[in-house]
mmCIF file of all heavy atoms in Angstrom:
data_model
loop_
_atom_site.group_PDB
_atom_site.id
_atom_site.type_symbol
_atom_site.label_atom_id
_atom_site.label_comp_id
_atom_site.label_asym_id
_atom_site.label_seq_id
_atom_site.Cartn_x
_atom_site.Cartn_y
_atom_site.Cartn_z
ATOM 1 N N HIS E 57 -18.393 13.371 -9.521
ATOM 2 C CA HIS E 57 -18.000 14.305 -10.633
ATOM 3 C C HIS E 57 -19.191 14.538 -11.523
ATOM 4 O O HIS E 57 -20.221 13.904 -11.334
ATOM 5 C CB HIS E 57 -16.889 13.656 -11.477
ATOM 6 C CG HIS E 57 -17.311 12.384 -12.147
ATOM 7 N ND1 HIS E 57 -17.914 12.371 -13.362
ATOM 8 C CD2 HIS E 57 -17.090 11.061 -11.829
ATOM 9 C CE1 HIS E 57 -18.261 11.115 -13.673
ATOM 10 N NE2 HIS E 57 -17.641 10.294 -12.874
ATOM 11 N N GLY E 58 -19.011 15.543 -12.369
ATOM 12 C CA GLY E 58 -20.042 15.919 -13.312
ATOM 13 C C GLY E 58 -19.828 15.476 -14.688
ATOM 14 O O GLY E 58 -19.163 14.417 -14.978
ATOM 15 N N MET E 59 -20.235 16.322 -15.711
ATOM 16 C CA MET E 59 -20.177 15.938 -17.074
ATOM 17 C C MET E 59 -18.734 16.088 -17.620
ATOM 18 O O MET E 59 -17.915 16.798 -17.030
ATOM 19 C CB MET E 59 -21.113 16.834 -17.875
ATOM 20 C CG MET E 59 -22.589 16.641 -17.455
ATOM 21 S SD MET E 59 -23.307 15.311 -18.375
ATOM 22 C CE MET E 59 -23.568 15.945 -20.022
ATOM 23 N N THR E 61 -15.755 17.704 -19.673
ATOM 24 C CA THR E 61 -15.527 19.117 -20.124
ATOM 25 C C THR E 61 -14.889 19.029 -21.439
ATOM 26 O O THR E 61 -14.248 18.129 -22.001
ATOM 27 C CB THR E 61 -14.557 19.714 -19.079
ATOM 28 O OG1 THR E 61 -13.202 19.242 -19.290
ATOM 29 C CG2 THR E 61 -15.036 19.479 -17.712
ATOM 30 N N PHE E 66 -13.478 15.621 -16.231
ATOM 31 C CA PHE E 66 -14.869 15.854 -15.831
ATOM 32 C C PHE E 66 -15.018 16.973 -14.981
ATOM 33 O O PHE E 66 -14.061 17.363 -14.160
ATOM 34 C CB PHE E 66 -15.417 14.566 -15.145
ATOM 35 C CG PHE E 66 -15.432 13.336 -16.150
ATOM 36 C CD1 PHE E 66 -14.361 12.635 -16.242
ATOM 37 C CD2 PHE E 66 -16.630 13.064 -16.690
ATOM 38 C CE1 PHE E 66 -14.322 11.513 -17.122
ATOM 39 C CE2 PHE E 66 -16.625 11.883 -17.514
ATOM 40 C CZ PHE E 66 -15.540 11.111 -17.675
ATOM 41 N N SER E 67 -16.201 17.644 -14.899
ATOM 42 C CA SER E 67 -16.482 18.760 -14.030
ATOM 43 C C SER E 67 -16.439 18.230 -12.572
ATOM 44 O O SER E 67 -16.910 17.101 -12.333
ATOM 45 C CB SER E 67 -17.870 19.398 -14.365
ATOM 46 O OG SER E 67 -17.867 19.816 -15.575
ATOM 47 N N PRO E 68 -15.865 19.003 -11.661
ATOM 48 C CA PRO E 68 -15.804 18.602 -10.267
ATOM 49 C C PRO E 68 -17.173 18.691 -9.540
ATOM 50 O O PRO E 68 -17.922 19.437 -9.842
ATOM 51 C CB PRO E 68 -14.817 19.525 -9.660
ATOM 52 C CG PRO E 68 -14.947 20.777 -10.362
ATOM 53 C CD PRO E 68 -15.270 20.352 -11.843
ATOM 54 N N GLY E 69 -17.329 17.743 -8.597
ATOM 55 C CA GLY E 69 -18.445 17.843 -7.755
ATOM 56 C C GLY E 69 -19.735 17.159 -8.186
ATOM 57 O O GLY E 69 -19.789 16.710 -9.368
ATOM 58 N N ALA E 70 -20.658 17.085 -7.310
ATOM 59 C CA ALA E 70 -21.938 16.247 -7.547
ATOM 60 C C ALA E 70 -23.151 17.082 -7.780
ATOM 61 O O ALA E 70 -24.171 16.478 -7.740
ATOM 62 C CB ALA E 70 -22.173 15.311 -6.395
ATOM 63 N N LEU E 71 -22.958 18.376 -7.994
ATOM 64 C CA LEU E 71 -24.191 19.198 -8.082
ATOM 65 C C LEU E 71 -25.058 18.876 -9.266
ATOM 66 O O LEU E 71 -26.243 19.001 -9.145
ATOM 67 C CB LEU E 71 -23.719 20.688 -8.237
ATOM 68 C CG LEU E 71 -24.805 21.729 -8.183
ATOM 69 C CD1 LEU E 71 -25.669 21.639 -6.927
ATOM 70 C CD2 LEU E 71 -24.237 23.163 -8.410
ATOM 71 N N ILE E 72 -24.462 18.473 -10.381
ATOM 72 C CA ILE E 72 -25.385 18.087 -11.584
ATOM 73 C C ILE E 72 -26.262 16.927 -11.121
ATOM 74 O O ILE E 72 -27.376 16.931 -11.683
ATOM 75 C CB ILE E 72 -24.460 17.786 -12.739
ATOM 76 C CG1 ILE E 72 -25.300 17.787 -14.103
ATOM 77 C CG2 ILE E 72 -23.650 16.507 -12.640
ATOM 78 C CD1 ILE E 72 -25.875 19.083 -14.411
ATOM 79 N N PRO E 139 -26.013 20.814 -19.323
ATOM 80 C CA PRO E 139 -25.227 21.597 -18.166
ATOM 81 C C PRO E 139 -24.893 23.007 -18.578
ATOM 82 O O PRO E 139 -25.033 23.853 -17.591
ATOM 83 C CB PRO E 139 -24.092 20.636 -17.877
ATOM 84 C CG PRO E 139 -24.575 19.257 -18.185
ATOM 85 C CD PRO E 139 -25.411 19.498 -19.452
ATOM 86 N N TYR E 142 -27.079 26.125 -17.582
ATOM 87 C CA TYR E 142 -27.116 26.817 -16.255
ATOM 88 C C TYR E 142 -26.225 28.114 -16.273
ATOM 89 O O TYR E 142 -26.365 28.856 -15.393
ATOM 90 C CB TYR E 142 -26.616 25.905 -15.180
ATOM 91 C CG TYR E 142 -27.374 24.695 -14.960
ATOM 92 C CD1 TYR E 142 -27.131 23.462 -15.446
ATOM 93 C CD2 TYR E 142 -28.603 24.748 -14.232
ATOM 94 C CE1 TYR E 142 -27.886 22.280 -15.296
ATOM 95 C CE2 TYR E 142 -29.532 23.620 -14.015
ATOM 96 C CZ TYR E 142 -29.084 22.447 -14.548
ATOM 97 O OH TYR E 142 -29.880 21.352 -14.369
ATOM 98 N N ALA E 143 -25.397 28.260 -17.336
ATOM 99 C CA ALA E 143 -24.472 29.359 -17.322
ATOM 100 C C ALA E 143 -25.248 30.757 -17.472
ATOM 101 O O ALA E 143 -24.782 31.721 -16.877
ATOM 102 C CB ALA E 143 -23.540 29.213 -18.514
ATOM 103 N N MET E 146 -26.576 31.742 -14.121
ATOM 104 C CA MET E 146 -25.450 32.063 -13.282
ATOM 105 C C MET E 146 -24.898 33.465 -13.639
ATOM 106 O O MET E 146 -24.584 34.207 -12.653
ATOM 107 C CB MET E 146 -24.258 31.107 -13.640
ATOM 108 C CG MET E 146 -24.511 29.775 -13.004
ATOM 109 S SD MET E 146 -23.428 28.480 -13.719
ATOM 110 C CE MET E 146 -21.805 29.273 -13.684
ATOM 111 N N VAL E 170 -20.332 34.273 -4.293
ATOM 112 C CA VAL E 170 -19.204 33.347 -4.292
ATOM 113 C C VAL E 170 -19.753 31.905 -4.564
ATOM 114 O O VAL E 170 -18.976 31.083 -5.342
ATOM 115 C CB VAL E 170 -18.449 33.378 -2.932
ATOM 116 C CG1 VAL E 170 -17.415 32.313 -2.905
ATOM 117 C CG2 VAL E 170 -17.842 34.712 -2.676
ATOM 118 N N LEU E 171 -20.829 31.587 -4.115
ATOM 119 C CA LEU E 171 -21.406 30.222 -4.343
ATOM 120 C C LEU E 171 -21.743 29.993 -5.830
ATOM 121 O O LEU E 171 -21.563 28.908 -6.313
ATOM 122 C CB LEU E 171 -22.722 29.938 -3.502
ATOM 123 C CG LEU E 171 -22.542 29.571 -2.070
ATOM 124 C CD1 LEU E 171 -23.846 29.127 -1.401
ATOM 125 C CD2 LEU E 171 -21.602 28.401 -1.920
ATOM 126 N N ILE E 172 -22.179 31.054 -6.427
ATOM 127 C CA ILE E 172 -22.510 31.022 -7.968
ATOM 128 C C ILE E 172 -21.245 30.547 -8.659
ATOM 129 O O ILE E 172 -21.286 29.839 -9.677
ATOM 130 C CB ILE E 172 -23.010 32.347 -8.483
ATOM 131 C CG1 ILE E 172 -24.459 32.457 -8.056
ATOM 132 C CG2 ILE E 172 -22.791 32.438 -10.042
ATOM 133 C CD1 ILE E 172 -25.364 31.516 -8.800
ATOM 134 N N ILE E 173 -20.048 31.087 -8.311
ATOM 135 C CA ILE E 173 -18.808 30.676 -8.849
ATOM 136 C C ILE E 173 -18.415 29.348 -8.475
ATOM 137 O O ILE E 173 -17.995 28.477 -9.262
ATOM 138 C CB ILE E 173 -17.735 31.680 -8.518
ATOM 139 C CG1 ILE E 173 -18.030 33.161 -9.037
ATOM 140 C CG2 ILE E 173 -16.309 31.220 -9.114
ATOM 141 C CD1 ILE E 173 -17.210 34.181 -8.613
ATOM 142 N N GLY E 174 -18.364 29.053 -7.175
ATOM 143 C CA GLY E 174 -17.936 27.671 -6.567
ATOM 144 C C GLY E 174 -18.773 26.593 -7.040
ATOM 145 O O GLY E 174 -18.200 25.522 -7.529
ATOM 146 N N PHE E 175 -20.003 26.785 -6.874
ATOM 147 C CA PHE E 175 -20.991 25.760 -7.280
ATOM 148 C C PHE E 175 -21.117 25.627 -8.773
ATOM 149 O O PHE E 175 -21.447 24.637 -9.403
ATOM 150 C CB PHE E 175 -22.287 25.838 -6.570
ATOM 151 C CG PHE E 175 -22.333 25.245 -5.159
ATOM 152 C CD1 PHE E 175 -21.165 25.181 -4.460
ATOM 153 C CD2 PHE E 175 -23.560 24.820 -4.682
ATOM 154 C CE1 PHE E 175 -21.173 24.694 -3.206
ATOM 155 C CE2 PHE E 175 -23.456 24.211 -3.369
ATOM 156 C CZ PHE E 175 -22.382 24.182 -2.676
ATOM 157 N N GLY E 176 -21.043 26.889 -9.530
ATOM 158 C CA GLY E 176 -21.206 26.928 -10.906
ATOM 159 C C GLY E 176 -20.067 26.137 -11.547
ATOM 160 O O GLY E 176 -20.196 25.590 -12.655
ATOM 161 N N ALA E 177 -18.869 26.050 -11.047
ATOM 162 C CA ALA E 177 -17.721 25.282 -11.586
ATOM 163 C C ALA E 177 -18.093 23.780 -11.693
ATOM 164 O O ALA E 177 -17.460 23.105 -12.420
ATOM 165 C CB ALA E 177 -16.451 25.438 -10.766
ATOM 166 N N GLN E 178 -19.040 23.371 -10.816
ATOM 167 C CA GLN E 178 -19.445 21.991 -10.783
ATOM 168 C C GLN E 178 -20.458 21.639 -11.970
ATOM 169 O O GLN E 178 -20.711 20.505 -12.318
ATOM 170 C CB GLN E 178 -20.123 21.630 -9.474
ATOM 171 C CG GLN E 178 -19.266 21.807 -8.235
ATOM 172 C CD GLN E 178 -19.884 21.302 -6.964
ATOM 173 O OE1 GLN E 178 -20.658 20.277 -6.991
ATOM 174 N NE2 GLN E 178 -19.520 21.913 -5.844
ATOM 175 N N LEU E 179 -20.982 22.820 -12.520
ATOM 176 C CA LEU E 179 -21.881 22.642 -13.697
ATOM 177 C C LEU E 179 -21.211 22.825 -15.053
ATOM 178 O O LEU E 179 -21.465 22.090 -15.968
ATOM 179 C CB LEU E 179 -23.072 23.626 -13.530
ATOM 180 C CG LEU E 179 -23.890 23.516 -12.284
ATOM 181 C CD1 LEU E 179 -24.842 24.568 -12.205
ATOM 182 C CD2 LEU E 179 -24.533 22.066 -12.163
ATOM 183 N N HIS E 180 -20.318 23.809 -15.031
ATOM 184 C CA HIS E 180 -19.644 24.088 -16.412
ATOM 185 C C HIS E 180 -18.387 24.836 -16.155
ATOM 186 O O HIS E 180 -18.402 25.743 -15.225
ATOM 187 C CB HIS E 180 -20.598 24.808 -17.265
ATOM 188 C CG HIS E 180 -20.092 24.742 -18.746
ATOM 189 N ND1 HIS E 180 -19.583 25.829 -19.339
ATOM 190 C CD2 HIS E 180 -19.993 23.759 -19.639
ATOM 191 C CE1 HIS E 180 -19.186 25.577 -20.616
ATOM 192 N NE2 HIS E 180 -19.465 24.202 -20.748
ATOM 193 N N SER E 181 -17.349 24.716 -16.922
ATOM 194 C CA SER E 181 -16.092 25.313 -16.735
ATOM 195 C C SER E 181 -16.162 26.816 -16.950
ATOM 196 O O SER E 181 -15.234 27.585 -16.653
ATOM 197 C CB SER E 181 -15.065 24.649 -17.634
ATOM 198 O OG SER E 181 -15.479 24.794 -18.949
ATOM 199 N N SER E 182 -17.279 27.347 -17.598
ATOM 200 C CA SER E 182 -17.386 28.704 -17.878
ATOM 201 C C SER E 182 -17.490 29.618 -16.668
ATOM 202 O O SER E 182 -17.362 30.856 -16.594
ATOM 203 C CB SER E 182 -18.591 29.076 -18.879
ATOM 204 O OG SER E 182 -19.689 28.583 -18.158
ATOM 205 N N ALA E 183 -17.745 28.908 -15.442
ATOM 206 C CA ALA E 183 -17.581 29.647 -14.182
ATOM 207 C C ALA E 183 -16.348 30.297 -13.963
ATOM 208 O O ALA E 183 -16.139 31.207 -13.263
ATOM 209 C CB ALA E 183 -17.985 28.714 -13.023
ATOM 210 N N ALA E 184 -15.217 29.833 -14.575
ATOM 211 C CA ALA E 184 -13.885 30.474 -14.447
ATOM 212 C C ALA E 184 -13.954 31.848 -15.031
ATOM 213 O O ALA E 184 -13.313 32.787 -14.426
ATOM 214 C CB ALA E 184 -12.890 29.598 -15.311
ATOM 215 N N LEU E 185 -14.850 32.192 -15.980
ATOM 216 C CA LEU E 185 -14.997 33.472 -16.446
ATOM 217 C C LEU E 185 -15.451 34.467 -15.344
ATOM 218 O O LEU E 185 -15.035 35.586 -15.161
ATOM 219 C CB LEU E 185 -15.729 33.612 -17.747
ATOM 220 C CG LEU E 185 -15.664 34.817 -18.654
ATOM 221 C CD1 LEU E 185 -16.193 34.519 -20.023
ATOM 222 C CD2 LEU E 185 -16.423 35.940 -18.083
ATOM 223 N N LEU E 186 -16.504 33.879 -14.720
ATOM 224 C CA LEU E 186 -17.122 34.710 -13.574
ATOM 225 C C LEU E 186 -16.118 34.941 -12.529
ATOM 226 O O LEU E 186 -16.108 35.993 -11.874
ATOM 227 C CB LEU E 186 -18.315 33.954 -13.084
ATOM 228 C CG LEU E 186 -19.591 33.785 -14.047
ATOM 229 C CD1 LEU E 186 -20.728 33.055 -13.355
ATOM 230 C CD2 LEU E 186 -19.946 35.195 -14.555
ATOM 231 N N ALA E 187 -15.253 33.938 -12.232
ATOM 232 C CA ALA E 187 -14.170 34.106 -11.125
ATOM 233 C C ALA E 187 -13.240 35.192 -11.622
ATOM 234 O O ALA E 187 -12.971 36.133 -10.725
ATOM 235 C CB ALA E 187 -13.434 32.774 -10.957
ATOM 236 N N THR E 213 -18.211 25.330 -0.411
ATOM 237 C CA THR E 213 -17.776 24.802 -1.627
ATOM 238 C C THR E 213 -16.768 23.773 -1.593
ATOM 239 O O THR E 213 -16.909 22.671 -2.124
ATOM 240 C CB THR E 213 -17.258 25.980 -2.591
ATOM 241 O OG1 THR E 213 -18.208 26.983 -2.868
ATOM 242 C CG2 THR E 213 -16.698 25.508 -3.927
ATOM 243 N N SER E 216 -18.328 20.555 -0.266
ATOM 244 C CA SER E 216 -19.008 19.752 -1.309
ATOM 245 C C SER E 216 -18.065 19.085 -2.320
ATOM 246 O O SER E 216 -18.444 18.151 -3.047
ATOM 247 C CB SER E 216 -19.805 20.793 -2.055
ATOM 248 O OG SER E 216 -19.114 21.684 -3.014
ATOM 249 N N LEU E 217 -16.813 19.455 -2.271
ATOM 250 C CA LEU E 217 -15.843 18.917 -3.286
ATOM 251 C C LEU E 217 -15.022 17.743 -2.677
ATOM 252 O O LEU E 217 -14.143 17.224 -3.337
ATOM 253 C CB LEU E 217 -14.904 19.936 -3.766
ATOM 254 C CG LEU E 217 -15.517 20.942 -4.685
ATOM 255 C CD1 LEU E 217 -14.511 22.074 -5.101
ATOM 256 C CD2 LEU E 217 -16.125 20.263 -6.033
ATOM 257 N N TRP E 220 -15.166 14.471 -4.504
ATOM 258 C CA TRP E 220 -14.550 14.594 -5.857
ATOM 259 C C TRP E 220 -13.004 14.504 -5.632
ATOM 260 O O TRP E 220 -12.319 13.805 -6.404
ATOM 261 C CB TRP E 220 -14.994 15.865 -6.503
ATOM 262 C CG TRP E 220 -14.125 16.122 -7.740
ATOM 263 C CD1 TRP E 220 -14.348 15.540 -8.978
ATOM 264 C CD2 TRP E 220 -13.063 16.987 -7.931
ATOM 265 N NE1 TRP E 220 -13.451 16.005 -9.902
ATOM 266 C CE2 TRP E 220 -12.677 16.934 -9.188
ATOM 267 C CE3 TRP E 220 -12.442 17.772 -6.998
ATOM 268 C CZ2 TRP E 220 -11.591 17.695 -9.749
ATOM 269 C CZ3 TRP E 220 -11.439 18.665 -7.516
ATOM 270 C CH2 TRP E 220 -11.030 18.595 -8.870
ATOM 271 N N PRO E 232 -10.311 17.854 -14.611
ATOM 272 C CA PRO E 232 -10.566 18.568 -15.918
ATOM 273 C C PRO E 232 -9.312 19.287 -16.452
ATOM 274 O O PRO E 232 -8.288 19.337 -15.747
ATOM 275 C CB PRO E 232 -11.641 19.553 -15.543
ATOM 276 C CG PRO E 232 -11.587 19.828 -14.041
ATOM 277 C CD PRO E 232 -10.866 18.522 -13.610
ATOM 278 N N VAL E 360 -22.261 32.714 -19.980
ATOM 279 C CA VAL E 360 -22.400 33.449 -18.821
ATOM 280 C C VAL E 360 -22.368 34.990 -19.069
ATOM 281 O O VAL E 360 -22.726 35.849 -18.228
ATOM 282 C CB VAL E 360 -21.217 33.181 -17.937
ATOM 283 C CG1 VAL E 360 -21.273 31.737 -17.301
ATOM 284 C CG2 VAL E 360 -19.896 33.240 -18.637
#
Side-chain angles (χ1 to χ4, degrees):
H57 62 81
M59 298 277 284
T61 72
F66 296 82
S67 298
L71 185 58
I72 192 66
Y142 294 102
M146 283 164 47
V170 177
L171 279 188
I172 283 295
I173 298 170
F175 278 27
Q178 300 187 29
L179 301 175
H180 196 253
S181 57
S182 59
L185 197 161
L186 293 182
T213 300
S216 72
L217 292 175
W220 174 76
V360 291

